[in-house]
Amino acid sequence: MAKNTTVSVINADVGSCPGHVAPEKGMIELFEKHIESEGLKKGLIEDFRVYNCGDDIGVVMSHFRGKDDEKIHHLAWDGFVKAADYAKKLKLYGAGQDLLKDAFSGNVKGMGPGVAEMEFVERKSDPVLVFACDKTDPAAFSLPLYKAFADPFNTAGLVIDPKAAVGFSFDVMNIYENTVVRMKCPDEIYSMLALIGSTGKYAVKNVFINGNLPETESICATVCTEKLSLIAGQYVGKDDPVAICRAQSGFPAVGEILEAFALGHTVAGWMRGSHRGPLMPVSFEDATPTRFDGPPRIIGLGFQVGNGKLVGPVDLFKDPSFNITRERCMKVAEYLRAHGPFEPHRLGEDEMEYTTLPKVLEKLKPRMKKLV
Ligand code: F6R
Ligand code: MG
Ligand code: MG
């Protein structure tokens, strides 16, 4: 039996400078050294790359230990603890923010960090794309994943390539109820859109190619759907979803997956996790959101995964052909900003539930008189 490769992406915001802009260089170095000495050199992982997007540090690890492996999660957790301790000493902002628990307890899920993992049988050649966002929530991936895997106007392969024409199935998650439904496309496109169009409630979790292949061969995409506000009971700044996509040879091409981000679609997040704004695809270098703590950003890391090793990353959104998307995003940002505290720039009241807004509204309650 072929040995499965697992790609694990784990990220956290454990402190930044200034405010919520970017982690300090020393934190990233410390984290990187930890993964190298405790993970790579000890043979736990085959390879890794550390990156940062906005105020978050993330690591892409390849290994043969499968998903939800305690040792892999512990490795990342300990690295974040070290980076957080360093950030605390420097009094960096939000130091230790995403480490909700004092001690590691088997899996980073529910403990603060974000995690997306994919276990698969390596194909003859396996292009793997990792996407990391800052200042938005997991539903930011729903529109581009729909476009890449279900929209023939985006993905030519759905029309031209008989391997892709079998279509793809989506796991759609109800973020509040922690339930999931598998929807087969193209058959169920309309009803799936009825769900995922409600980005405040539903998010795409996984995508598989249709057919009878086992999950380790059919898995195409997976998204980190952790919403920390639901775990912590309040908005604690977790706004940095990650996703992994496999491309080519019957799956959408790299360019078809990237094309799905060319709109610069509107997402929730931005300032105080409370505003809608465009998701701007940027180069690694430009992943430092400062205007009104944003606008929301996404970077793309392009890898080839072979025999458990990572080749790359290529900076996928550095391409100047995304300049037009970035310009549109800034025009949309300018327009939305002009609305100030009004919807649709500010999120609706239901989505503000976990922010500090309810405290403000609570104070006004006693003054509300019945209108006669
Ligand atoms: C956090 C974030 C920021 C903060 C904002 C207020 O990831 O996106 O927009 O929500 O800067 O932060 P506090 O409340 O820490 O002053
Ligand atoms: Mg933050
Ligand atoms: Mg962040």
Side-chain angles (χ1 to χ4, degrees):
M1 217 179 87
K3 188 155 59 160
N4 295 342
T5 297
T6 299
V7 172
S8 300
V9 183
I10 305 185
N11 73 317
D13 174 352
V14 290
S16 45
C17 160
H20 290 276
V21 175
E24 201 267 338
K25 216 169 118 237
M27 293 168 65
I28 303 175
E29 282 169 7
L30 204 63
F31 181 77
E32 200 158 17
K33 264 195 202 135
H34 169 82
I35 303 289
E36 184 174 15
S37 63
E38 301 307 307
L40 191 68
K41 294 217 168 120
K42 292 193 175 163
L44 201 60
I45 55 173
E46 298 303 304
D47 212 346
F48 77 101
R49 298 289 187 277
V50 169
Y51 66 87
N52 79 286
C53 181
D55 52 6
D56 312 294
I57 299 177
V59 61
V60 181
M61 294 176 281
S62 53
H63 56 93
F64 298 126
R65 303 180 62 86
K67 293 193 288 184
D68 291 317
D69 182 79
E70 184 170 343
K71 287 191 173 156
I72 298 292
H73 283 221
H74 206 162
L75 173 69
W77 175 267
D78 285 347
F80 289 128
V81 170
K82 283 185 186 169
D85 288 345
Y86 174 96
K88 281 175 195 163
K89 279 191 198 119
L90 291 184
K91 286 180 76 177
L92 298 186
Y93 203 71
Q97 175 194 285
D98 282 358
L99 305 178
L100 296 183
K101 308 273 161 74
D102 293 333
F104 180 74
S105 63
N107 192 309
V108 290
K109 277 183 199 154
M111 296 184 70
V115 51
E117 294 183 290
M118 193 186 268
E119 179 182 337
F120 55 93
V121 179
E122 282 185 19
R123 297 171 293 172
K124 199 169 136 212
S125 180
D126 233 305
V128 175
L129 317 184
V130 172
F131 294 101
C133 304
D134 191 36
K135 313 293 188 236
T136 186
D137 67 12
F141 282 109
S142 295
L143 182 146
L145 288 178
Y146 167 76
K147 286 180 95 171
F149 290 92
D151 178 5
F153 277 71
N154 180 91
T155 297
L158 294 170
V159 179
I160 294 170
D161 181 351
K163 282 201 243 158
V166 296
F168 295 84
S169 288
F170 293 66
D171 282 345
V172 175
M173 188 178 168
N174 177 325
I175 302 169
Y176 289 89
E177 290 172 7
N178 213 24
T179 50
V180 72
V181 53
R182 185 159 298 180
M183 315 234 27
K184 190 176 179 201
C185 294
D187 317 22
E188 295 189 285
I189 276 182
Y190 297 158
S191 42
M192 185 174 84
L193 286 171
L195 296 179
I196 64 173
S198 298
T199 47
K201 192 167 174 189
Y202 299 97
V204 173
K205 173 81 191 147
N206 301 305
V207 184
F208 305 92
I209 192 159
N210 290 337
N212 296 317
L213 295 169
E215 181 172 325
T216 49
E217 289 176 52
S218 59
I219 184 82
C220 303
T222 190
V223 181
C224 164
T225 42
E226 296 231 86
K227 229 179 154 164
L228 213 55
S229 50
L230 301 184
I231 299 163
Q234 58 171 347
Y235 177 71
V236 276
K238 181 104 196 113
D239 51 4
D240 34 48
V242 288
I244 309 171
C245 287
R246 288 202 298 159
Q248 308 286 158
S249 306
F251 296 174
V254 170
E256 287 168 334
I257 295 173
L258 298 181
E259 177 66 9
F261 293 92
L263 171 65
H265 63 294
T266 303
V267 297
W270 206 344
M271 173 58 76
R272 297 173 189 274
S274 308
H275 293 79
R276 290 193 184 86
L279 182 66
M280 186 152 77
V282 293
S283 66
F284 300 161
E285 205 184 325
D286 290 332
T288 36
T290 59
R291 181 175 175 184
F292 197 56
D293 285 359
R297 246 142 255 229
I298 180 164
I299 57 168
L301 300 90
F303 296 99
Q304 282 290 143
V305 176
N307 306 313
K309 297 270 188 289
L310 301 170
V311 179
V314 168
D315 186 349
L316 296 172
F317 291 126
K318 195 172 193 257
D319 181 354
S321 61
F322 282 98
N323 286 349
I324 194 160
T325 307
R326 292 187 266 269
E327 268 168 40
R328 181 166 45 244
C329 285
M330 283 325 300
K331 280 186 187 149
V332 170
E334 189 76 8
Y335 171 78
L336 283 171
R337 278 303 302 125
H339 291 72
F342 283 80
E343 297 178 25
H345 184 28
R346 205 207 69 198
L347 297 182
E349 217 180 294
D350 49 338
E351 287 189 79
M352 300 288 286
E353 197 185 334
Y354 294 95
T355 69
T356 43
L357 185 77
K359 285 185 197 141
V360 177
L361 300 180
E362 197 58 36
K363 266 196 199 163
L364 295 175
K365 245 189 186 164
R367 291 173 51 193
M368 288 288 180
K369 303 280 178 261
K370 262 258 174 306
L371 201 62
V372 277

